[in-house]
Amino acid sequence: MFIELYDVKNDSQEMTNLAFQSDEHGSRIERMLDCLRQYMQNTNDLLKLPDDLYDRFLGDYGQFKI
């Protein structure tokens, strides 16, 4: 899964994916993923997101960071 987080007020062209800035935005992304997992469970979604999804994202896509 590719994760994206943008500051649309200061980066309206969405050129800088803040998801790569784990020190600054990692906890926010983890909280958002937790909310998504809870929503998926509440709606009986059959897909299960792994607990280490964000770490996998950083490992898989970190080399593409701009």
Side-chain angles (χ1 to χ4, degrees), residues 30 35 41:
E30 291 288 4
C35 289
Q41 182 178 356

Side-chain angles (χ1 to χ4, degrees), residues 40-56:
M40 292 169 71
Q41 182 178 356
N42 292 345
T43 59
N44 298 316
D45 194 318
L46 298 177
L47 180 66
K48 301 294 182 206
L49 299 178
D51 291 335
D52 65 345
L53 180 63
Y54 185 50
D55 291 329
R56 287 186 190 186

Side-chain angles (χ1 to χ4, degrees), residues 15-32:
M15 300 297 292
T16 303
N17 185 355
L18 301 176
F20 290 112
Q21 299 174 12
S22 59
D23 291 342
E24 195 171 337
H25 299 287
S27 61
R28 175 185 304 201
I29 292 169
E30 291 288 4
R31 286 192 311 270
M32 292 170 73

